[in-house]
Amino acid sequence: MLQDKNIIIGVTGGIAAYKTVELVSRLRKSGANVHVIMTQGAQNFVTELTFREISGHPVVTSMWDRVQEFKVEHIALAQLADMVVIAPATANILAKMAIGMADDMLTTTVLATKAPVLVVPAMNSNMYTNPATQQNIGILKDRGMLVLEPASGHLACGTAGIGRMPEAAEIFDYIANYFAEGREQQDREELLAKLKGKKVLVTAAGTREPIDPVRYIGNRSSGKMGYAIAEAAVKCGAKVVLISGPSSLQPPAGAEFIPVESAREMRQHVLEHFPNTDVVIKAAAVADYRVRDVAENKIKKDDEELVLVLDKNPDILKELGQLKKPGQILVGFAAETQNLLQYAKGKLEKKNLDMIVANDVTKPQAGFNTDTNLIKLLGRDGSVEELPLMSKKELAYIIWQRVMKLL
Ligand code: PMT
């Protein structure tokens, strides 16, 4: 999330400035471009040289520095910033920002930037709880600045109380989460715009092939993956048809729901809806075989052995691959216990798919009847995208995002 983000770190004169060195290091390691501005006070605690080495950039210590890299304009960093972080923020800088002063490089940058500003106060607890400081923090919050509250504990001045700067890891997580949430929001909005009004068909859960009136051949699919995909599409404004084998899940409100039992029933409904569908995602675990002679009555257990002859079921997805018209997108799933990529790639080609979602169902917390899944997305162009373990609901959005790129 932080790759290539320009983070401006303002360091003011507090003992906690040493923690900011670690923060800069973490940010840089995560791919961010970090530029440090130090107030005069800050230079009494940590040297400019330390921040220069850790950030990999010259450090700005004065309005009148001639730092060639920033083309010297005193608002260059303000314009460059994706975020300005002031850590530690002393009572003094809070007061200056609250009244809008611009008497050094840091306050000037804060005043000139349009980027979000994160303030991390750290000071003696009496100074922190003083109504003047609290009022200043309130003013900054009202203006939309982000404030990461200090922790309580032993303070450098020998007292204990609120005022400790949070550890570098906590500040880093706050920044990373901020960008992650922003990105997610942006992605969802883009997806919403693209999926709105599209006709999509999703299949979910396992089919059941009857043996007699009370028994069937089935599988462990719960429907969680397919229902999550259907729900995400409904939320993004698509017209969704969900064709599902038996499942205990509640179908998403707003989807046209067609419950089915067997593979042949599923096939019939899928083929009926396919001609005017933009995207099909087949997450269902369809039974590959059905019993040739389904017993009319419950089979009695008189014999030591029972032989069932199975006939091959139609491969619904393969049929869709043959019927597919230009502009229609076909996405399949591959549930494998071995040779995941090889088998998934084979299905992608054989069934004429645009994308296949490969899940290794032997992995813990992945595959059948789990809330999470571990998947690889294989594209027609030979691309393979490996995603980390995630909830099926989150994965549903990512799958739709990738599908929309194909449309
Ligand atoms: O429902 P959950 O508990 O959440 O579990 C999710 C899941 C593991 C079932 C799901 O993520 C998944 O992998 N679904 C596909 C399972 C499967 O049957 O894979 P397959 O490799 O046998 O089939 C490949 C593709 O062809 C699938 O898209 C399947 O829907 C389709 N197919 C298969 C056989 C058939 N006769 N007709 C088909 O359309």
Side-chain angles (χ1 to χ4, degrees), residues 4 11 62 125 128 183 218 224-225 227 272 323 394 407:
D4 297 329
V11 189
S62 152
S125 52
Y128 181 70
R183 172 77 183 277
K224 286 180 185 176
M225 191 68 247
Y227 280 47
E272 203 176 290
L323 294 169
E394 276 178 281
L407 268 178

Side-chain angles (χ1 to χ4, degrees), residues 3-45:
Q3 187 66 42
D4 297 329
K5 289 272 181 271
N6 293 304
I7 312 282
I8 312 302
I9 300 282
V11 189
T12 68
I15 183 73
Y18 76 92
K19 293 185 186 174
T20 312
V21 177
E22 191 195 329
L23 173 65
V24 170
S25 164
R26 281 175 180 255
L27 289 167
R28 193 176 170 201
K29 278 184 195 148
S30 71
N33 300 315
V34 189
H35 296 284
V36 177
I37 303 174
M38 297 179 81
T39 61
Q40 253 192 323
Q43 293 163 57
N44 292 313
F45 293 92

Side-chain angles (χ1 to χ4, degrees), residues 2-140:
L2 294 175
Q3 187 66 42
D4 297 329
K5 289 272 181 271
N6 293 304
I7 312 282
I8 312 302
I9 300 282
V11 189
T12 68
I15 183 73
Y18 76 92
K19 293 185 186 174
T20 312
V21 177
E22 191 195 329
L23 173 65
V24 170
S25 164
R26 281 175 180 255
L27 289 167
R28 193 176 170 201
K29 278 184 195 148
S30 71
N33 300 315
V34 189
H35 296 284
V36 177
I37 303 174
M38 297 179 81
T39 61
Q40 253 192 323
Q43 293 163 57
N44 292 313
F45 293 92
V46 179
T47 67
E48 172 250 334
L49 185 65
T50 308
F51 280 116
R52 188 183 346 144
E53 288 303 312
I54 299 291
S55 70
H57 290 289
V59 171
V60 183
T61 53
S62 152
M63 283 266 263
W64 318 112
D65 280 346
R66 282 281 178 267
V67 180
Q68 296 302 329
E69 202 179 319
F70 310 133
K71 297 185 230 118
V72 180
E73 293 113 60
H74 61 287
I75 56 160
L77 281 178
Q79 287 171 335
L80 181 75
D82 289 305
M83 180 182 254
V84 176
V85 180
I86 304 173
T90 57
N92 185 46
I93 189 87
L94 297 176
K96 281 165 71 170
M97 287 193 298
I99 57 170
M101 278 179 73
D103 67 341
D104 61 9
M105 190 60 168
L106 182 56
T107 46
T108 305
T109 302
V110 169
L111 215 54
T113 193
K114 292 257 186 244
V117 178
L118 170 63
V119 180
V120 191
M123 65 197 76
N124 161 276
S125 52
N126 288 344
M127 288 173 80
Y128 181 70
T129 52
N130 188 294
T133 304
Q134 287 304 309
Q135 193 177 3
N136 289 333
I137 291 175
I139 290 170
L140 299 180

Side-chain angles (χ1 to χ4, degrees), residues 221-223 225 282-284 314 316-317 333 347 351 359 369 392:
S221 174
S222 62
M225 191 68 247
K282 283 212 84 260
I316 310 168
L317 195 52
F333 267 76
K347 286 174 185 172
K351 302 191 188 201
N359 35 197
N369 200 17
K392 285 179 175 170

Side-chain angles (χ1 to χ4, degrees), residues 91-378:
N92 185 46
I93 189 87
L94 297 176
K96 281 165 71 170
M97 287 193 298
I99 57 170
M101 278 179 73
D103 67 341
D104 61 9
M105 190 60 168
L106 182 56
T107 46
T108 305
T109 302
V110 169
L111 215 54
T113 193
K114 292 257 186 244
V117 178
L118 170 63
V119 180
V120 191
M123 65 197 76
N124 161 276
S125 52
N126 288 344
M127 288 173 80
Y128 181 70
T129 52
N130 188 294
T133 304
Q134 287 304 309
Q135 193 177 3
N136 289 333
I137 291 175
I139 290 170
L140 299 180
K141 279 185 180 168
D142 287 347
R143 284 191 202 138
M145 285 192 190
L146 308 161
V147 178
L148 185 54
E149 302 293 342
S152 291
H154 182 76
L155 299 173
C157 54
T159 60
I162 190 162
R164 261 178 85 87
M165 185 162 102
E167 297 306 316
E170 196 183 324
I171 305 172
F172 175 85
D173 287 348
Y174 186 98
I175 298 169
N177 282 340
Y178 178 87
F179 284 107
E181 278 168 22
R183 172 77 183 277
E184 209 170 283
Q185 181 68 20
Q186 196 183 335
D187 284 351
R188 296 253 163 119
E189 276 161 21
E190 272 172 28
L191 186 59
L192 197 100
K194 285 184 182 159
L195 255 178
K196 209 175 173 117
K198 291 270 179 301
K199 270 209 79 175
V200 308
L201 193 160
V202 180
T203 68
T207 58
R208 285 180 185 174
E209 306 301 327
I211 297 171
D212 67 16
V214 297
R215 303 184 180 93
Y216 59 84
I217 297 174
N219 61 66
R220 298 175 198 280
S221 174
S222 62
K224 286 180 185 176
M225 191 68 247
Y227 280 47
I229 290 170
E231 189 182 349
V234 170
K235 284 190 176 158
C236 290
K239 292 182 193 134
V240 182
V241 177
L242 172 62
I243 301 176
S244 173
S247 164
S248 60
L249 301 175
Q250 190 68 17
E256 181 184 340
F257 181 63
I258 302 174
V260 297
E261 284 266 344
S262 68
R264 285 192 293 177
E265 249 188 283
M266 181 172 276
R267 174 180 175 271
Q268 181 208 323
H269 290 285
V270 167
L271 290 181
E272 203 176 290
H273 282 84
F274 186 57
N276 51 5
T277 294
D278 297 305
V279 184
V280 177
I281 302 190
K282 283 212 84 260
V286 186
D288 291 317
Y289 293 90
R290 65 177 182 277
V291 178
R292 180 175 294 174
D293 299 308
V294 178
E296 210 173 306
N297 294 304
K298 186 179 171 193
I299 298 171
K300 292 289 164 202
K301 50 179 182 292
D302 300 335
D303 301 325
E304 278 310 304
E305 201 177 63
L306 174 70
V307 177
L308 294 173
V309 178
L310 303 181
D311 286 325
K312 202 159 189 192
N313 264 333
D315 189 322
I316 310 168
L317 195 52
K318 196 170 166 198
E319 259 185 85
L320 297 185
Q322 287 156 0
L323 294 169
K324 188 169 74 167
K325 297 251 162 34
Q328 283 185 307
I329 300 287
L330 212 50
V331 179
F333 267 76
E336 307 294 348
T337 55
Q338 55 179 338
N339 305 330
L340 180 66
L341 286 178
Q342 186 196 332
Y343 288 161
K345 195 163 175 287
K347 286 174 185 172
L348 176 90
E349 281 161 13
K350 207 166 64 196
K351 302 191 188 201
N352 190 23
L353 308 179
D354 299 284
M355 190 171 98
I356 192 154
V357 184
N359 35 197
D360 179 345
V361 295
T362 63
K363 292 273 183 318
Q365 294 171 290
F368 292 94
N369 200 17
T370 50
D371 290 325
T372 50
N373 207 356
L374 194 58
I375 62 171
K376 292 185 171 72
L377 299 174
L378 280 69

